[in-house]
Amino acid sequence: MSKINIVLGTFFGDEGKGKIIDYLATKSDVTVRCSGGNNAGHTIQVNGKKYAFHLAPSGILTPGTLAVIGNGVVVDPRVLIEELEVLRGDGYSIENLRISDKANVIMPYHIEMDKMLEAQRAPGDKIGTTARGIGPCYCDKYERCAIRMEDLIGDTFEEKVRKNVKNKNIIFKANGWQESDAEAIIEEYKPLAEYLKSYVCDTINLLHDCLEKDMSMLCEGAQATLLDIDFGSYPFVTSSSPSVGGVCTGTGLSAHDIGEVYGVLKAYSSRVGEGPYITEQNNEIGDTIRELGHEYGATTKRPRRCGWLDLVALNYAVKVNGITGLAINHLDTIGKLPTFKLCVAYEDNGVRTTNYSTNAAFQERCKPIYEEFEGNFEIGGATRFEELPEKAKIYLKRIEELTGVPVKFIGTGAGREELIVR
Ligand code: IMO
Ligand code: MG
């Protein structure tokens, strides 16, 4: 029996999970997405071409690797098909795709609801969602009125659309928002169902069969721990469980089936959307990091907020997820600064603490305590740890010391090969 290795985000997303996933996917027989939807954006550079995946499991780029969209994912069929068509156009086969019959379908009214709710929030209360309908789709899931992939391709689709639209329109109407047209949605989605039909199956038994056959399995996380509906900075979070628990609920695999848990981070940090961010550098330093690291959203193109790496938050992600190995990206980027900082603790009302909390008052009160490191080092493209300059090694060693977790992967550039594996 094999186990499933997992790649997760440790901060607010955009840690470069795609790069690590891409490397591991080439060595896996199966890659699985378990949560989130096309709010995720994983940029992978292959043969000089950039692919921004939002839904397709990255394993789809590796011939012979099963690419599975698990039951915990919310699927916008229009977006998925668009991605598949780009891949097909570039000569990739999509025959290894499998979509859970229990994955929930994002409908046009989810997107409208997402936009309406965000528009109604007062300036300080806005979440800054990706407006992809993610939250409202998960709401329907928990409300038990969702349309699943099995409905989309089955006989229950039309009736469920009509029922849902009727209910949503009551809300839209009351809020003076454009109402949805059930018949137009049914017409638009029918050909999409036809396109996706042959890829939909029972992925729960499929994944267990793969484990039994001792196939190597990779779960590619989307979003990240601090965006988790339970463990993140609520309410400035996404509506799913991007931390390790979401792997079980989003695939049907059990806790016993989990192997390595790799936590991905950047040598600095970033956040898109609203919410607290203790090590944010809302100043020239943040601007410099944004430009050096090209920190603009893959999904929404928004400029990302940038700041220093926060080990208090990272250690929280290590605890919550049981992280067994770290993957650090953008070491090349941080090296371009003359000096840089690492947050090693917080000062909470004059008391030093290393215990993270997403409590809003705590986040407001705490001041970061930093250690400073020397930059001005060049590592562009290094592929072996020994090649790294001493200054870079000192930084990595300190992170290992303060987390107790080995650094297993180091991103040294944007390209697929610019990676150190230890
Ligand atoms: P990847 O997989 C960064 C953020 C949004 C917003 C909040 C809620 O690329 O790391 P949602 O549309 O999910 O309801 O928005 O969550 N967010 C992300 N930020 N990377 C992501 O995914 C994100 N997915 C959601 O910006 O603040
Ligand atoms: Mg992103």
Side-chain angles (χ1 to χ4, degrees):
M1 279 274 279
S2 56
K3 293 202 181 263
I4 188 159
N5 295 329
I6 303 168
V7 174
L8 296 171
T10 52
F11 282 86
F12 299 107
D14 306 323
E15 297 92 348
K17 295 178 285 293
K19 187 182 177 78
I20 310 305
I21 287 163
D22 182 40
Y23 169 80
L24 291 170
T26 58
K27 305 192 168 353
S28 303
D29 301 317
V30 187
T31 66
V32 197
R33 264 203 61 185
C34 64
S35 67
N38 57 310
N39 46 349
H42 298 168
T43 314
I44 294 173
Q45 206 167 308
V46 192
N47 301 331
K49 179 157 180 175
K50 264 191 185 174
Y51 290 94
F53 287 136
H54 301 288
L55 271 169
S58 307
I60 206 150
L61 284 174
T62 310
T65 299
L66 268 188
V68 181
I69 295 180
N71 57 277
V73 178
V74 287
V75 179
D76 186 328
R78 298 173 293 187
V79 175
L80 178 59
I81 291 172
E82 208 179 293
E83 282 180 14
L84 296 175
E85 283 302 291
V86 169
L87 285 167
R88 269 163 35 107
D90 284 352
Y92 288 96
S93 163
I94 59 165
E95 291 315 303
N96 288 335
L97 178 71
R98 302 287 182 276
I99 309 167
S100 168
D101 51 1
K102 299 192 173 14
N104 286 221
V105 182
I106 295 182
M107 305 297 292
Y109 48 78
H110 292 136
I111 298 170
E112 286 308 310
M113 191 68 78
D114 200 351
K115 288 181 186 160
M116 185 193 88
L117 293 171
E118 188 72 344
Q120 287 175 340
R121 290 183 186 113
D125 296 338
K126 287 196 193 297
I127 294 169
T129 75
T130 58
R132 302 298 195 262
I134 307 295
C137 187
Y138 279 113
C139 276
D140 279 5
K141 171 175 179 169
Y142 290 99
E143 183 63 31
R144 292 152 293 182
C145 64
I147 294 175
R148 291 170 155 196
M149 288 305 298
E150 62 195 2
D151 298 309
L152 177 70
I153 63 166
D155 300 333
T156 44
F157 182 65
E158 297 190 16
E159 186 200 333
K160 287 201 172 183
V161 173
R162 291 193 186 105
K163 239 189 227 168
N164 269 294
V165 167
K166 195 171 155 210
N167 284 330
K168 305 303 182 231
N169 278 348
I170 295 170
I171 302 170
F172 289 141
K173 197 170 178 188
N175 285 276
W177 201 261
Q178 166 87 47
E179 289 178 49
S180 291
D181 179 344
E183 301 314 312
I185 293 173
I186 290 168
E187 281 319 300
E188 186 192 355
Y189 271 53
K190 267 188 189 163
L192 309 182
E194 209 44 52
Y195 185 111
L196 294 176
K197 204 172 182 168
S198 63
Y199 306 106
V200 178
C201 65
D202 166 11
T203 55
I204 299 170
N205 281 305
L206 169 75
L207 291 172
H208 279 279
D209 288 347
C210 292
L211 285 181
E212 288 216 349
K213 287 182 192 148
D214 217 17
M215 292 165 86
S216 56
M217 316 257 288
L218 175 72
C219 180
E220 43 180 286
Q223 286 81 49
T225 309
L226 300 183
L227 290 174
D228 187 285
I229 188 79
D230 285 283
F231 305 121
S233 60
Y234 193 90
F236 304 102
V237 293
T238 191
S239 302
S240 64
S241 304
S243 48
V244 77
V247 177
C248 294
T249 56
T251 62
L253 295 174
S254 82
H256 293 294
D257 299 324
I258 295 174
E260 299 295 330
V261 183
Y262 299 120
V264 188
L265 55 140
K266 287 187 278 212
Y268 49 89
S269 62
S270 75
R271 174 165 206 174
V272 260
E274 306 303 317
Y277 177 6
I278 290 182
T279 59
E280 179 172 19
Q281 298 299 302
N282 191 7
N283 51 35
E284 256 179 47
I285 294 169
D287 295 343
T288 307
I289 297 174
R290 183 178 313 110
E291 293 315 310
L292 289 174
H294 310 291
E295 292 295 346
Y296 293 88
T299 302
T300 56
K301 314 278 179 265
R302 287 177 288 181
R304 294 179 184 143
R305 299 156 67 192
C306 294
W308 303 124
L309 176 56
D310 181 345
L311 288 194
V312 184
L314 180 60
N315 274 323
Y316 172 74
V318 167
K319 273 190 228 179
V320 166
N321 296 304
I323 290 171
T324 60
L326 297 174
I328 304 187
N329 281 312
H330 281 282
L331 190 63
D332 53 320
T333 306
I334 202 99
K336 292 189 176 117
L337 298 171
T339 59
F340 58 89
K341 291 182 182 175
L342 174 67
C343 171
V344 295
Y346 296 157
E347 188 204 305
D348 178 11
N349 273 337
V351 180
R352 187 185 169 104
T353 181
T354 51
N355 266 341
Y356 189 80
S357 166
T358 57
N359 176 272
F362 173 87
Q363 292 272 328
E364 181 78 32
R365 276 197 320 264
C366 282
K367 303 274 172 290
I369 299 172
Y370 289 118
E371 286 180 5
E372 196 166 86
F373 292 78
E374 272 183 55
N376 273 338
F377 53 79
E378 185 63 50
I379 58 163
T383 52
R384 291 185 320 120
F385 188 75
E386 297 69 41
E387 288 173 42
L388 291 178
E390 206 47 39
K391 288 180 198 168
K393 286 183 185 161
I394 289 171
Y395 186 48
L396 296 175
K397 199 164 154 246
R398 190 68 180 135
I399 295 169
E400 285 186 329
E401 258 170 25
L402 293 177
T403 57
V405 183
V407 174
K408 297 272 194 184
F409 303 92
I410 303 155
T412 58
R416 202 180 201 182
E417 284 75 36
E418 292 169 305
L419 181 70
I420 295 171
V421 181
R422 291 169 87 194

